[in-house]
Amino acid sequence: MKYFLAALAAIVLAGCGQIVPNTPQPLSLVPYPQNVQRHDGALALAKSVNLVVDGDAPNATRAVHALLSRLDLNVTAGAATQITLRLIDAPKLGAEGYRLTVGDNVVLSAGTDAGLFYAVQTLRQLLPVQSADSYAVPHVTISDVPSYAWRGSSVDVARSFLPIAYLKKHIDRMAFFKLNRLHLHLSDDQGWRIQIKKYPKLTEIGGASAVEGGRSGYYTQAQLKDLVAYAKARGIVIVPEIDLPGHTQAMIAAYNKLACDDVTNLDTYSGIEVGFSKLCMTKPDVIYPFVRNVLKEVVAIFPSKYIHIGGDEIKDPGYAGFVTKAAQIVDDLGRTAIVWEEGSVADLSPDVRLQLWNDDYAIADAVNKGHQLILSPCSYMYIDHANYPGQPHTATWCDKDGVPLARVYSFNPQSFPAAVGVEAALWSERVHTNATADNRLWPRLAAVAEVAWTPKSERDYTRFTERMGAMRARLDAFGIHYYPDPDLGWQ
Ligand code: TNX
């Protein structure tokens, strides 16, 4: 009733051309929090705030300082308004949940640095994007816990390379939307992107190769370690993928002995079609030491508990045995494997996670064996597909009409009880520039974030488009060359 009267007053007064202070507007938060309670009024912030950090929360502390400095708010001991970040004992908030209260002061609390970091992201979304003389932060009480622990973006840097500077920007943008897993597809037929010191030809030869029209290149181990730290400071785990035993032409071109002796195609490859290359299953003494040595260097760079070993799109009588063995190598190195869905035919420890990519893949048996799922069903999560039917330079194999924003948003991970979360995949056969990557990723990744974070009861596409629509200036401030989706009123 109170809101109704306020809204009525707003309509009446707006009609008289007057500005009504403190009228509850829908808060433009994405992903929408689990629980939001609006209260009348707003907190005025001007020039100086007193910042109190109670507990050891380096990532959240860095984020709040960055936020205040972007808005030209000085941190001054004794300032009238206080922003408090507090680590509390709150098992219900889990590893990433938080509370945020805006009243006479601002209080952010969580059980972890990650939770506080997300509280800061929500506060950031409650404040304007541009610096101003003063700010009105709506009075609100939010308590928020993500639905899923795995909220991923995967990028294929193998077909076409993405520079480190772009990946850092991508990490900043992901963190703003509370995404927390960046899966790097580091090898494929068309290229090899990670320096492996024991096998320098992988980058000498595979790093110089790319899909036709795409970019070649590779990351040094030092660059990747720096990227891992950059991501970690923003709550993001980088999950590396070395795609095995198919999709391996770049490896084979670098080290011919990995192919069977009768294979004559030993060159680098820049086409789009795949499914022709494989490590030679009848040369176990060659391929397994190689795989082990590569993965040893991979785990030394990436602290991720999960290491992706690919396993897609290959037919070979030795396939299942290979996947079992490669997952065992990952296990020996103290980590756990992720394999694409087809790997479910192998004999695997139930801890191994499966990544689903075909909408109708029969996964029930694997789930019954105890495997958890990362959900990337192509007709919802393959954002190398078009934003709108007929968009040029997009994949069409999964759905010829593409994967529009509304389609992404409509995905319901709750229909897979074994899911740990969702991940949208940007394959790069046709994505050759940073701007094209932006166009395919945004705004669809914001929908992925909401699908992964927000409980189903709070998800509504129309409301999402209103909240997201209001965020255009934020995407502009990030410098994103997004697709100006008409559903968001951006065209
Ligand atoms: C299928 S998804 C692939 C990729 C392609 C993608 C293009 C998967 C495990 N394999 O190699 O890049 O389709 O949409």
Side-chain angles (χ1 to χ4, degrees):
M1 189 61 185
K2 206 154 65 179
Y3 286 172
F4 173 75
L5 289 177
L8 194 66
I11 292 162
V12 172
L13 290 173
C16 306
Q18 282 177 286
I19 294 164
V20 186
N22 306 338
T23 304
Q25 298 286 322
L27 299 176
S28 293
L29 300 174
V30 176
Y32 203 68
Q34 186 182 61
N35 195 296
V36 178
Q37 287 176 290
R38 294 290 299 275
H39 313 294
D40 284 345
L43 168 67
L45 282 186
K47 291 294 150 227
S48 295
V49 292
N50 183 18
L51 180 66
V52 175
V53 180
D54 182 5
D56 182 28
N59 293 346
T61 304
R62 215 178 299 112
V64 78
H65 277 289
L67 171 61
L68 297 175
S69 110
R70 269 191 302 269
L71 295 176
D72 293 317
L73 284 164
N74 300 313
V75 174
T76 314
T81 308
Q82 185 162 310
I83 297 181
T84 306
L85 270 61
R86 184 172 292 142
L87 275 182
I88 56 169
D89 183 29
K92 276 195 194 142
L93 295 175
E96 296 180 301
Y98 66 91
R99 286 192 205 111
L100 169 59
T101 309
V102 180
D104 294 339
N105 290 293
V106 179
V107 181
L108 295 74
S109 51
T112 62
D113 187 16
L116 283 176
F117 179 84
Y118 289 138
V120 173
Q121 300 313 312
T122 299
L123 178 62
R124 186 175 173 186
Q125 294 193 358
L126 291 172
L127 282 158
V129 60
Q130 301 289 0
S131 136
D133 290 338
S134 66
Y135 306 97
V137 195
H139 285 158
V140 68
T141 305
I142 293 174
S143 81
D144 198 11
V145 176
S147 296
Y148 289 100
W150 192 287
R151 305 181 300 279
S153 160
S154 88
V155 290
D156 171 7
V157 293
R159 273 56 177 266
S160 184
F161 184 70
L162 286 168
I164 289 280
Y166 182 83
L167 293 181
K168 286 188 172 174
K169 284 189 200 172
H170 187 54
I171 286 167
D172 291 341
R173 298 159 181 182
M174 285 175 65
F176 180 77
F177 289 103
K178 303 187 175 80
L179 293 163
N180 67 356
R181 292 290 183 280
L182 174 58
H183 166 179
L184 294 181
H185 184 76
L186 289 165
S187 73
D188 213 300
D189 288 317
Q190 297 88 344
W192 180 280
R193 307 293 173 221
I194 171 177
Q195 177 189 32
I196 299 295
K197 291 184 180 164
K198 193 171 175 71
Y199 301 119
K201 287 200 287 180
L202 285 171
T203 44
E204 275 166 37
I205 293 173
S209 166
V211 76
E212 196 179 346
R215 288 188 289 208
S216 57
Y218 70 90
Y219 311 113
T220 66
Q221 296 198 355
Q223 284 177 318
L224 289 170
K225 284 181 183 162
D226 171 66
L227 191 71
V228 165
Y230 189 89
K232 184 172 181 225
R234 290 155 184 82
I236 294 172
V237 176
I238 302 189
V239 180
E241 178 187 355
I242 304 296
D243 201 349
L244 302 167
H247 290 256
T248 40
Q249 189 64 20
M251 286 171 87
I252 287 167
Y255 291 95
N256 296 171
K257 63 176 183 183
L258 296 169
C260 288
D261 295 337
D262 59 351
V263 172
T264 54
N265 171 14
L266 299 167
D267 282 342
T268 54
Y269 174 71
S270 62
I272 286 188
E273 293 312 312
V274 293
F276 57 89
S277 62
K278 54 188 164 188
L279 303 184
C280 186
M281 308 291 167
T282 53
K283 288 187 184 174
D285 299 342
V286 175
I287 64 171
Y288 293 117
F290 194 93
V291 167
R292 184 182 301 273
N293 290 332
V294 166
L295 291 176
K296 218 192 258 175
E297 294 194 34
V298 168
V299 302
I301 300 165
F302 297 98
S304 170
K305 174 168 160 45
Y306 292 95
I307 304 291
H308 205 310
I309 52 171
D312 55 321
E313 297 181 306
I314 158 176
K315 290 220 168 359
D316 188 285
Y319 170 75
F322 177 91
V323 172
T324 301
K325 189 94 197 223
Q328 185 58 49
I329 291 172
V330 173
D331 194 73
D332 294 344
L333 293 168
R335 310 296 177 86
T336 304
I338 301 171
V339 283
W340 294 109
E341 61 196 15
E342 299 101 304
S344 58
V345 301
D347 181 19
L348 293 169
S349 146
D351 324 340
V352 171
R353 288 185 170 176
L354 301 172
Q355 186 163 7
L356 214 56
W357 62 281
N358 282 294
D359 283 21
D360 49 4
Y361 192 82
I363 205 68
D365 286 351
V367 169
N368 289 336
K369 285 188 208 153
H371 294 295
Q372 293 184 304
L373 305 177
I374 297 161
L375 303 176
S376 306
C378 59
S379 82
Y380 299 91
M381 291 289 149
Y382 268 33
I383 56 177
D384 60 339
H385 283 62
N387 281 290
Y388 60 89
Q391 183 176 27
H393 307 298
T394 54
T396 50
W397 67 265
C398 182
D399 193 323
K400 65 175 176 27
D401 292 330
V403 178
L405 185 65
R407 173 76 185 172
V408 176
Y409 195 85
S410 71
F411 183 56
N412 180 23
Q414 279 78 11
S415 48
F416 294 85
V420 293
V422 300
E423 187 175 291
L426 180 66
W427 301 101
S428 62
E429 289 93 334
R430 300 165 189 83
V431 178
H432 303 160
T433 66
N434 298 355
T436 307
D438 275 2
N439 175 281
R440 304 298 185 266
L441 288 163
W442 303 101
R444 288 183 289 185
L445 220 43
V448 174
E450 186 147 311
V451 166
W453 182 286
T454 307
K456 177 141 178 44
S457 58
E458 300 300 313
R459 292 204 303 270
D460 175 90
Y461 186 61
T462 304
R463 274 185 261 143
F464 169 75
T465 59
E466 286 160 8
R467 287 181 278 111
M468 192 60 209
M471 282 207 187
R472 186 175 195 170
R474 296 190 188 274
L475 269 61
D476 287 332
F478 274 121
I480 301 178
H481 298 271
Y482 49 82
Y483 167 61
D485 199 306
D487 278 13
L488 303 179
W490 288 359
Q491 262 178 349

